[in-house]
Amino acid sequence: MDPEAKAPRSVRDELLLAAVGLLDEHGPDALQTRRVATAAGTSTMAVYTHFGGMPDLIAAVADYGLAQFDLALDVPDTDDPVADLLTCGGAYRHFAIRRPHLYRLMFGSTSAAGVRAPARDIQTGEPERDLHPSLIHLVRLVRRCITAGRMRGDATDNREVMTIAGQFWAMTHGFVMLELAGFFGDDGAAVGPVLGGLGMHVLLDLGDEPAALQASAVAAQLRA
């Protein structure tokens, strides 16, 4: 459950949200026991009482971020699954750009207080269960695209669906990380020609028709 939705909030919730706020505003170096406790209006002992220490609090921050990411990627379904897939990709990037420190922590590409968020091995999960939230959405959307005849493949073959979803995941995450690092500037100008262009090539290679794909791209752009 989202601790921000609780009223009144518990001390644990206050600590978690204080840590999230510090991370968003100041980056991972701000996740220190005293700073979190002060921001939450409590004592440093509360961090140990409710989390056992900063490593578990940092893990809870990452879990909070994953839950928020899940909500951000839950785009409404339309009768065009390819447009929905492209829209999900846009929502993915928007979250990362809006909350870069949280995004990096969620994926283990940065650490706070020398602690990295626990990694998740997607190979041990099953589609629609126990997977990284961003991959869960992609698996579902890829399955819809295959079922609708917009991609080649067998929608009942979990390994094939996971492989295709993993391709889109790697493509989007790779672009986002490069953008966050400043390699594509800070104005979003590379999104269309680089990420969008690559996505179009992948979808065509997977069997979509050019005219249908173009229509889906326009529909997704109108929803952005």
Side-chain angles (χ1 to χ4, degrees):
M1 182 179 293
D2 184 347
E4 291 179 295
K6 293 182 180 180
R9 294 198 294 250
S10 67
V11 174
R12 187 183 192 282
D13 293 335
E14 293 290 356
L15 286 165
L16 175 58
L17 293 176
V20 171
L22 286 168
L23 176 65
D24 279 338
E25 186 172 356
H26 301 292
D29 289 344
L31 292 187
Q32 302 170 12
T33 306
R34 188 174 300 280
R35 290 188 68 173
V36 172
T38 299
T42 187
S43 67
T44 56
M45 182 58 64
V47 174
Y48 298 95
T49 299
H50 293 280
F51 292 96
M54 285 305 296
D56 284 349
L57 174 54
I58 290 167
V61 169
D63 284 341
Y64 170 89
L66 290 171
Q68 294 297 304
F69 198 30
D70 184 29
L71 292 173
L73 297 180
D74 190 19
V75 300
D77 286 349
T78 70
D79 60 359
D80 185 338
V82 172
D84 296 343
L85 177 62
L86 296 173
T87 300
C88 184
Y92 188 113
R93 174 186 172 271
H94 179 73
F95 182 95
I97 296 301
R98 186 168 57 88
R99 307 186 77 170
H101 297 303
L102 183 58
Y103 180 83
R104 291 190 185 98
L105 183 69
M106 286 157 39
F107 281 95
S109 60
T110 190
S111 66
V115 178
R116 292 188 181 276
R120 297 188 176 201
D121 182 0
I122 66 170
Q123 301 300 319
T124 63
E126 293 292 335
E128 285 84 46
R129 190 186 73 187
D130 299 331
L131 294 178
H132 196 286
S134 55
L135 186 58
I136 288 175
H137 289 282
L138 291 173
V139 165
R140 185 180 66 84
L141 289 166
V142 165
R143 199 183 303 280
R144 287 183 59 215
C145 289
I146 294 174
T147 301
R150 300 289 299 274
M151 287 182 186
R152 289 188 301 271
D154 180 356
T156 67
D157 185 335
N158 288 340
R159 182 177 295 275
E160 183 171 17
V161 172
M162 281 277 289
T163 296
I164 296 172
Q167 291 170 354
F168 282 99
W169 193 30
M171 173 178 65
T172 307
H173 178 70
F175 176 88
V176 164
M177 290 301 292
L178 287 170
E179 186 177 17
L180 289 178
F183 289 103
F184 289 125
D186 58 5
D187 59 359
V191 175
V194 179
L195 181 59
L198 180 56
M200 297 287 273
H201 286 306
V202 171
L203 285 163
L204 287 172
D205 188 59
L206 287 169
D208 204 8
E209 295 295 330
L213 178 54
Q214 185 59 41
S216 295
V218 171
Q221 184 60 39
L222 291 174
R223 294 168 64 184

